[in-house]
Amino acid sequence: MTRRSTDLVSPAVEALRIIDRWGARVAAAGVARVAGEMETYGPRDAELRWASITKLATGLALLVAVEEGTVSLDEPAGPPGSTLRHLLAHASGLPPDKGPPLMAPGRRRIYSNYGIELAAALVAERSGMAFADYFNAAVVEPLGLTGALRGSPAWGYHGTLDDLLKIGSEFLAPTIVAPETLGEATSVQFPGLPGVLPGFGRMEPNDWGLAFELRDAKSPHWTGSRNSPRTFGHFGAAGTFLWVDPELGSACAVLTDKEFGPWAVEAWPAFSDSVVGEERP
């Protein structure tokens, strides 16, 4: 599939230019479409910290491991009573960072970097190789990414806008995992669990897939009000996000060097609504 990008001042690029208002020193945004087209604004090759968007790439590597039979989603992993599925769905009862469980698995959605790290450690143990090496073989090399995982598989990737759009394109039309596998990963796991969506408050339910955050009917939310309920993705504390809207047939990526805060809670949904408005036929 041939991809092309353009610097022409199309309506889509005009929508992307909203990032200039955010006061970041470096900011880049882009849209990838299921047909393979891509439009961008800002420096495509600036390598920035992805923060928790890393979980999407790590989740993809873990799906590869599941398809290869290296691990199984329903095998024990993490605290007693927890499985790999619980870890990836933030339903294991583990705290945000390393520590003992806060409650039994399957009772509440507790966003946990530690759970993702334990999931990656299981793949490393079973594959007999460092997770960073498995990650490179499973995701970086097949997709032609130029960045690198530097530290935690929950938040340690550093890469470019082009890298992030390649990830978004993969989620629109998967090539390294089966569509059915991605479909399961982007469907609700352990339905009905309440929890806190970081930065946006308590949600009932706080639906999540396997490392993928699901928009559903959440409000407030970091995506736009015009995004479909099927939208999935993730945002990062580094001022970054990627959403994929299967109904729209588009993915939208943003990288900045301005830390997430109240500004983003206000700015991101409006930005996404502008992008969706230009993407709709």
Side-chain angles (χ1 to χ4, degrees):
M1 181 179 294
T2 301
R3 294 189 177 99
R4 58 185 174 84
S5 64
T6 177
D7 291 324
L8 297 176
V9 185
S10 68
V13 171
E14 286 291 354
L16 297 176
R17 285 181 167 182
I18 292 173
I19 62 176
D20 286 341
R21 306 173 190 171
W22 295 350
R25 290 171 299 175
V26 181
V31 172
R33 303 186 181 99
V34 72
E37 297 178 346
M38 194 180 293
E39 295 192 73
T40 66
Y41 179 71
R44 296 173 53 173
D45 57 354
E47 187 174 286
L48 295 172
R49 183 169 66 96
W50 284 17
S52 282
I53 303 180
T54 302
K55 292 180 177 70
L56 297 180
T58 291
L60 185 55
L62 289 161
L63 294 181
V64 172
V66 169
E67 286 198 339
E68 289 180 341
T70 302
V71 292
S72 170
L73 286 172
D74 295 312
E75 68 174 285
S82 173
T83 65
L84 180 59
R85 188 184 300 273
H86 284 96
L87 293 178
L88 294 177
H90 302 287
S92 67
L94 289 171
D97 297 302
K98 187 175 181 179
L102 300 177
M103 61 184 61
R107 293 181 55 190
R108 186 179 174 189
R109 198 85 62 187
I110 303 173
Y111 183 76
S112 179
N113 290 319
Y114 185 36
I116 300 297
E117 291 165 351
L118 289 181
L122 179 64
V123 171
E125 177 186 345
R126 293 292 177 77
S127 66
M129 57 197 301
F131 182 75
D133 294 334
Y134 190 92
F135 179 89
N136 286 340
V139 175
V140 173
E141 293 172 7
L143 295 184
L145 308 186
T146 60
L149 184 61
R150 301 172 186 167
S152 170
W155 46 259
Y157 191 83
H158 292 64
T160 64
L161 178 66
D162 274 1
D163 277 2
L164 194 50
L165 287 171
K166 288 177 181 178
I167 293 284
S169 296
E170 174 66 17
F171 293 149
L172 285 169
T175 61
I176 61 177
V177 295
E180 296 80 7
T181 301
L182 181 62
E184 180 175 6
T186 55
S187 63
V188 181
Q189 306 291 311
F190 308 103
L193 295 186
V196 173
L197 179 61
F200 289 86
R202 182 176 175 84
M203 303 287 168
E204 294 190 28
N206 188 21
D207 288 338
W208 220 278
L210 298 172
F212 296 81
E213 199 257 308
L214 310 180
R215 193 199 191 292
D216 284 357
K218 292 173 183 167
S219 181
H221 198 257
W222 55 275
T223 65
S225 62
R226 302 180 72 175
N227 281 97
S228 77
R230 292 180 59 204
T231 301
F232 60 85
H234 219 293
F235 75 86
T240 57
F241 69 74
L242 172 68
W243 57 249
V244 179
D245 190 331
E247 291 188 10
L248 192 64
S250 300
C252 181
V254 167
L255 291 180
T256 80
D257 63 355
K258 184 174 182 178
E259 293 287 311
F260 173 83
W263 72 270
V265 174
E266 179 179 353
W268 287 355
F271 169 84
S272 293
D273 278 341
S274 295
V275 170
V276 172
E278 296 300 339
E279 290 296 297
R280 289 201 185 281

